[in-house]
Amino acid sequence: MIKKLATAAAVLALMAGPASADMDSAKKWVEGEFQPSTLSQEEQMSEMEWFIKAAEPFKGMEINVVSETITTHEYESKTLAKAFTEITGIKVTHDLIGEGDVIEKLQTQMQSGKNIYDAFINDSDLIGTHFRYQQVVPLTDWMEGEGKDVTNPGLDLDDFIGISFTTGPDGKLYQIPDQQFANLYWFRYDWFKRPDLQKKFKDIYGYDLGVPVNWSAYADIAEFFSEKVKEIDGQRVYGHMDYGKKDPSLGWRFTDAWLSMAGAGDAGIPNGLPVDEWGIRVEGCSPVGSSVERGGATNGPAAVYALTKYIDWLKKYAPPEAAGMTFSEAGPVPAQGAIAQQIFWYTAFTADMAKPGTPVVDENDNPKWRMAPSPHGPYWTEGMKLGYQDAGSWTLMKSTPVDRRKAAWLYSQFVISKTVSLKKTHVGLTPIRESDIWDESFTERAPKLGGLVEFYRSPARVQWTPTGTNVPDYPKLAQLWWQNVADAVTGDKTPQEAMDSLAAQQDKVMMRLERAGIQGECGPKLNEKKDPSFWLNQPGSPKPKLDNEKPQGMTIDYDELVKSWQAAKK
């Protein structure tokens, strides 16, 4: 009888709503940590009440999720996971490991079918992989089916700025963004505004020193600071910064859309069709080739030009030690105060670059630098993507048991919910929601962030996109890039030979996938080889070599650029 009464009491308590202790925990977090928010505190409490009720069947469960180590995910792992556990009773271990290790764990789970993690935050660059292998749960189906009872009614998919990146060719959502950052142009605004340097530049090059619109201007500015100016305030300065060590991070430098900036692919947002920025051509949904002989552009004139310029600028205009650095070693260098501009700079470094006391911040803690859209190469045309945007995205695997998947989906939604996302964006500066970007708190903070807010509010934002659906197996193909690029950097191969090798290797991997038949109707179906001239004479990519790869340099005044963005939004 006592047991029956206790059970009845539990049922009545559940019907009555969340336990007061859980709501007290939620109230503590909402009033303290979860400010500012785009929701009122009453709306935040209502959202937390939903999470508490939805999590009730999973109370006491322990789940494991994983992501790469960046500031945003550190905040989730150390702060938001603790909050979620206190509020819902589901214990979360949010592991932080290297980006390559995340992909390795993901591959192991895909290949073994064993559940290693209950959810992954992995880059949307794998959208083509996930769509074709069909080992991740299509979120569109999940939210309408098995996961409907644990899908937040306030999720608001339309508010996410990166949903197109995580949507497959079938129109289904396969991942949901957790954080985003772009690679942009970075420059010393204070130096570019100096009248003596402006006059000297115009006297030499015949046009104004400003944000470079094309690669010709970028090269001129790099030469100007490295070879004409040389010193500012007694310090040796350089007009370019990059890295060139033979290391997996060298691959990111290129797969993160270096070829698209040069103009190697076709028009199309978020990615070029039929040829994307990796040089892979698709017909329908099937990749048909990477080499020019098969209709691809990985070893076409624009790609070879892109690799050539990368090497030339690294050797001529960057500090001598840059060629021996990895991505992580090169990242902090511009903040040390000797770099005038960088063509390829991730906005994930914004917080570090804006730290008070560094050489690139003034006495009022305002940045001496700005970020702006990247310049484009001579093969680029309107309608093409202009750069890369990382979108670390929540991914659920079919190999994860449904109850664990549901609990992990609740945590995934919690850390991207409107209750917490604005505060998380202020911590990590990796915005995912339109509502957060336009919040008044970011209007107030914008002057300290060097153009980050202006960029994300601008219409230009859509031209920065991750790797797209043309890439059928990201892990297998991405690892080919750094080794081939390194051969060109060391001089073991010419840029043409390096890109020929890369294109051939990509075709070989896709040929193996085709033979294995494991990717279904959208798997690779390689074209027969033809003389390159056949494809180079077709419209679009691959594009024939230009007679002049260094047209007149063009620049724009940064302040005028920002004004044009603001006008376009009205």
Side-chain angles (χ1 to χ4, degrees):
M1 183 69 181
I2 293 170
K3 189 175 179 185
K4 281 183 182 176
L5 285 170
T7 306
V11 170
L12 285 169
L14 193 59
M15 288 169 63
S20 59
D22 295 333
M23 288 300 282
D24 287 346
S25 289
K27 189 167 188 288
K28 177 192 76 171
W29 284 98
V30 163
E31 290 178 350
E33 184 63 36
F34 300 160
Q35 298 301 324
S37 169
T38 55
L39 301 181
S40 67
Q41 288 196 20
E42 188 180 354
E43 289 167 332
Q44 286 179 288
M45 287 301 295
S46 176
E47 186 163 61
M48 291 301 97
E49 184 178 356
W50 179 85
F51 274 103
I52 293 165
K53 284 180 178 175
E56 189 65 37
F58 314 102
K59 216 165 184 178
M61 184 183 281
E62 296 185 14
I63 57 168
N64 303 297
V65 304
V66 69
S67 67
E68 65 174 304
T69 308
I70 64 170
T71 303
T72 299
H73 300 322
E74 286 174 352
Y75 178 67
E76 291 166 342
S77 174
K78 291 171 185 170
T79 302
L80 296 184
K82 183 177 180 225
F84 181 77
T85 297
E86 284 187 17
I87 293 167
T88 67
I90 299 171
K91 187 176 185 310
V92 182
T93 300
H94 184 147
D95 285 346
L96 301 171
I97 59 179
E99 183 182 1
D101 296 326
V102 172
I103 292 178
E104 191 181 314
K105 299 283 187 192
L106 186 72
Q107 280 182 293
T108 303
Q109 185 154 331
M110 285 170 67
Q111 289 160 5
S112 68
K114 291 180 180 171
N115 190 52
I116 301 170
Y117 284 104
D118 301 309
F120 291 78
I121 299 177
N122 83 279
D123 287 355
S124 72
D125 297 331
L126 277 84
I127 181 66
T129 311
H130 293 328
F131 159 69
R132 289 181 176 86
Y133 279 113
Q134 293 293 304
Q135 297 215 28
V136 309
V137 177
L139 295 180
T140 302
D141 298 343
W142 169 254
M143 291 187 288
E144 293 168 359
E146 276 184 310
K148 190 172 184 178
D149 58 328
V150 285
T151 295
N152 179 8
L155 185 58
D156 192 2
L157 290 179
D158 291 339
D159 193 38
F160 286 82
I161 61 175
I163 286 293
S164 66
F165 309 155
T166 57
T167 301
D170 56 2
K172 290 182 181 179
L173 190 69
Y174 282 83
Q175 302 168 274
I176 192 163
D178 175 274
Q179 53 83 8
Q180 283 177 235
F181 57 89
N183 73 321
L184 298 176
Y185 172 74
W186 178 96
F187 70 107
R188 282 295 295 269
Y189 178 80
D190 57 335
W191 293 352
F192 278 48
K193 284 293 184 184
R194 276 176 54 158
D196 58 331
L197 295 178
Q198 288 179 336
K199 181 180 185 305
K200 187 171 183 176
F201 184 86
K202 189 154 191 179
D203 288 346
I204 297 169
Y205 299 98
Y207 61 99
D208 293 332
L209 176 60
V211 173
V213 174
N214 58 11
W215 282 18
S216 301
Y218 183 85
D220 287 345
I221 297 167
E223 178 188 67
F224 176 68
F225 281 100
S226 293
E227 298 181 0
K228 312 293 185 190
V229 177
K230 290 187 179 176
E231 278 191 11
I232 293 178
D233 302 330
Q235 181 183 25
R236 176 72 169 101
V237 298
Y238 296 91
H240 177 62
M241 182 60 204
D242 216 320
Y243 62 98
K245 187 174 182 179
K246 188 169 186 176
D247 175 82
S249 66
L250 190 56
W252 311 337
R253 178 67 179 72
F254 281 77
T255 56
D256 288 3
W258 183 239
L259 270 59
S260 75
M261 293 164 69
D266 274 311
I269 299 293
N271 303 89
L273 285 171
V275 180
D276 72 351
E277 68 274 14
W278 285 41
I280 296 174
R281 175 181 286 270
V282 295
E283 287 175 11
C285 60
S286 294
V288 295
S290 173
S291 60
V292 175
E293 294 172 307
R294 300 183 194 274
T298 308
N299 60 335
V304 172
Y305 162 83
L307 178 54
T308 303
K309 289 294 112 184
Y310 158 75
I311 296 167
D312 285 352
W313 296 343
L314 179 65
K315 291 182 174 174
K316 286 181 184 174
Y317 308 131
E321 59 274 19
M325 287 182 166
T326 63
F327 168 79
S328 55
E329 290 164 346
V333 172
Q336 293 163 13
I339 306 299
Q341 61 170 359
Q342 189 166 346
I343 193 170
F344 194 92
W345 178 83
Y346 287 99
T347 60
F349 294 132
T350 304
D352 290 337
M353 199 71 84
K355 277 182 183 166
T358 62
V360 293
V361 174
D362 69 17
E363 64 279 2
N364 297 315
D365 296 337
N366 291 314
K368 298 176 181 178
W369 51 270
R370 299 289 186 274
M371 62 185 82
S374 316
H376 53 71
Y379 292 89
W380 189 89
T381 54
E382 284 295 335
M384 290 182 66
K385 69 181 284 183
L386 193 45
Y388 174 80
Q389 187 157 190
D390 185 285
S393 304
W394 283 104
T395 310
L396 303 178
M397 305 295 291
K398 289 181 178 175
S399 51
T400 302
V402 173
D403 60 337
R404 300 187 69 81
R405 199 190 303 161
K406 284 185 172 185
W409 176 235
L410 284 169
Y411 175 67
S412 307
Q413 294 173 96
F414 179 82
V415 300
I416 59 175
S417 67
K418 287 184 180 178
T419 289
V420 307
S421 67
L422 180 58
K423 174 61 182 285
K424 187 177 86 168
T425 304
H426 275 291
V427 172
L429 299 177
T430 55
I432 52 168
R433 287 184 175 275
E434 192 85 32
S435 56
D436 291 339
I437 292 164
W438 285 96
D439 188 75
E440 182 62 30
S441 62
F442 268 114
T443 303
E444 292 168 11
R445 196 176 172 193
K448 303 285 187 189
L449 298 178
L452 180 75
V453 175
E454 289 83 351
F455 170 76
Y456 270 104
R457 288 179 174 181
S458 82
R461 181 184 77 205
V462 299
Q463 292 176 298
W464 277 259
T465 70
T467 301
T469 57
N470 287 25
V471 179
D473 191 319
Y474 184 94
K476 284 191 177 78
L477 293 168
Q479 66 185 345
L480 305 174
W481 284 71
W482 66 274
Q483 297 164 50
N484 286 290
V485 169
D487 285 342
V489 175
T490 57
D492 291 340
K493 288 180 180 171
T494 66
Q496 182 69 63
E497 288 167 344
M499 297 312 277
D500 284 345
S501 171
L502 173 60
Q505 288 172 23
Q506 289 205 135
D507 282 349
K508 198 171 179 181
V509 168
M510 290 194 285
M511 211 175 286
R512 286 205 299 269
L513 290 172
E514 182 178 4
R515 278 202 303 268
I518 50 178
Q519 292 195 332
E521 62 183 43
C522 290
K525 295 171 184 153
L526 263 61
N527 284 333
E528 293 297 320
K529 290 183 180 180
K530 291 187 179 178
D531 189 280
S533 62
F534 170 81
W535 290 104
L536 292 169
N537 287 322
Q538 302 288 325
S541 185
K543 300 162 186 177
K545 185 173 171 62
L546 292 169
D547 293 333
N548 177 20
E549 291 184 328
K550 193 175 189 294
Q552 173 62 40
M554 292 171 58
T555 58
I556 184 170
D557 179 77
Y558 176 78
D559 299 313
E560 292 302 316
L561 174 70
V562 172
K563 279 182 198 166
S564 74
W565 284 346
Q566 290 165 343
K569 270 292 185 184
K570 285 173 183 171

